[in-house]
């Protein structure tokens, strides 16, 4: 399982990178716009913070394949490193993916709501496909089952594409995606943090420290008793 952060907030990225095994950062136009800052400066700041090797997924704007291809070329030139250009699975997006794949650009197919969208994107050359779990659940769909069917289709057809499940509002959704064998998730730092939360973990840790300090003294640890 790869954990990615779905945010462009530098403070959040720093904190989560410090604590968790994070493989990269994903953004979309909404996430970037929320930061209300210069686009390129923000993306380059994220790149410099996470390093050249970490995955950085940035979405191309545009409704035509020409616009999307031009955006992707711009991003490749300006951002560099381990960059994945996110392209929505509209027909012009699929056309752009075919062209960009030939030019060696790594691709994340996005705005995916059905297994067939994911399958076609994978055949067109997407390295990752990003199904939106919570947005599907919100309209009485079953987001995690869609992830499961995509994983199944990729196995069935021997496709190398990976599922980067996105749009999460609960630990339960992440858990179900994991059970379905989703290869990666991208979520807000808040959800990533919630994955570790359990009151019994906290009380157990406190109990261990209390018991230890009761015998060895307050503030004592193994290396200084
Ligand atoms: C990922 O590709 C999407 O941009 C993002 O995760 C959507 O998440 P949201 O539904 O919480 O906005």
């Amino acid at each position: 399982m790869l954990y990615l952060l779905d945010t462009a907030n530098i403070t959040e990225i720093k904190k989560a990178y410090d604590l968790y095994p994070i493989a990269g950062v994903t953004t979309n136009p909404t996430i970037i716009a929320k930061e209300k800052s210069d686009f390129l400066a923000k993306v380059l700041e994220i790149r410099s913070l996470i390093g050249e090797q970490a995955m950085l997924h940035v979405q191309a704007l545009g409704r035509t394949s020409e616009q999307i291809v031009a955006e992707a070329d711009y991003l490749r030139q300006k951002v560099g490193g381990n960059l994945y250009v996110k392209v929505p699975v509209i027909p012009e997006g699929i056309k752009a993916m075919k062209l960009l794949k030939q030019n060696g650009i790594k691709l994340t197919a996005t705005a995916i709501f059905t297994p067939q969208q994911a399958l076609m994107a994978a055949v067109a050359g997407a390295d990752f496909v990003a199904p939106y779990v919570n947005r599907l659940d919100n309209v009485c769909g079953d987001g995690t089952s869609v992830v499961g069917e995509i994983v199944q289709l990729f196995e069935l057809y021997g496709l190398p594409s990976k599922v980067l499940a996105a749009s999460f509002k609960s630990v339960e959704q992440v858990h179900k995606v994991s059970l379905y064998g989703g290869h990666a998730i991208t979520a807000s730092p808040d959800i990533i943090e919630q994955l570790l939360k359990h009151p019994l973990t906290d009380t157990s840790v406190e109990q261990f420290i209390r018991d230890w300090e009761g015998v060895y003294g307050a503030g004592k640890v193994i290396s200084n008793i």
Side-chain angles (χ1 to χ4, degrees):
M1 169 64 79
L2 297 173
Y3 297 101
L4 286 93
L5 294 171
D6 205 22
T7 179
N9 183 280
I10 296 297
T11 311
E12 289 181 354
I13 296 172
K14 265 189 195 154
K15 184 179 171 205
Y17 252 80
D18 184 44
L19 294 170
Y20 310 120
I22 302 295
V25 168
T26 59
T27 65
N28 64 31
T30 307
I31 287 172
I32 296 277
K34 215 156 78 181
E35 298 302 308
K36 292 188 173 35
S37 56
D38 177 76
F39 165 78
L40 193 57
K42 175 61 64 187
V43 170
L44 291 178
E45 194 179 359
I46 297 171
R47 166 56 78 216
S48 124
L49 181 61
I50 67 179
E52 295 286 307
Q53 304 303 319
M55 287 192 277
L56 179 54
H57 299 241
V58 184
Q59 194 160 326
L61 270 295
R63 292 192 171 88
T64 66
S65 59
E66 290 79 12
Q67 288 168 336
I68 295 168
V69 167
E71 291 272 287
D73 284 337
Y74 177 86
L75 289 170
R76 176 159 65 172
Q77 278 170 35
K78 300 284 183 184
V79 182
N82 193 6
L83 173 75
Y84 287 79
V85 177
K86 290 173 71 178
V87 179
V89 287
I90 54 176
E92 289 286 317
I94 296 292
K95 179 176 173 183
M97 284 184 222
K98 292 193 297 172
L99 297 166
L100 292 168
K101 192 66 191 174
Q102 283 167 13
N103 294 340
I105 292 188
K106 291 190 274 191
L107 298 166
T108 298
T110 194
I112 288 180
F113 293 89
T114 75
Q116 286 302 316
Q117 291 175 325
L119 183 58
M120 193 183 290
V123 172
D127 299 278
F128 284 98
V129 299
Y132 288 12
V133 174
N134 190 63
R135 290 192 196 192
L136 269 167
D137 290 353
N138 274 348
V139 292
C140 293
D142 186 347
T144 58
S145 298
V146 167
V147 170
E149 287 182 15
I150 298 171
V151 170
Q152 215 180 322
L153 284 171
F154 287 0
E155 279 169 10
L156 210 57
Y157 287 96
L159 289 162
S161 309
K162 302 259 184 278
V163 181
L164 168 57
S167 179
F168 289 102
K169 284 293 168 286
S170 73
V171 168
E172 174 73 1
Q173 289 166 333
V174 175
H175 179 56
K176 284 188 178 163
V177 162
S178 320
L179 287 176
Y180 278 124
H183 309 98
I185 61 129
T186 184
S188 68
D190 181 48
I191 293 286
I192 304 269
E193 191 178 325
Q194 290 300 320
L195 296 176
L196 284 178
K197 281 266 183 240
H198 198 286
L200 284 176
T201 302
D202 296 338
T203 52
S204 299
V205 169
E206 284 314 310
Q207 180 73 51
F208 290 142
I209 292 173
R210 263 199 314 277
D211 291 347
W212 174 271
E213 290 188 346
V215 172
Y216 296 105
K220 293 289 181 187
V221 291
I222 294 170
S223 55
N224 74 4
I225 50 175

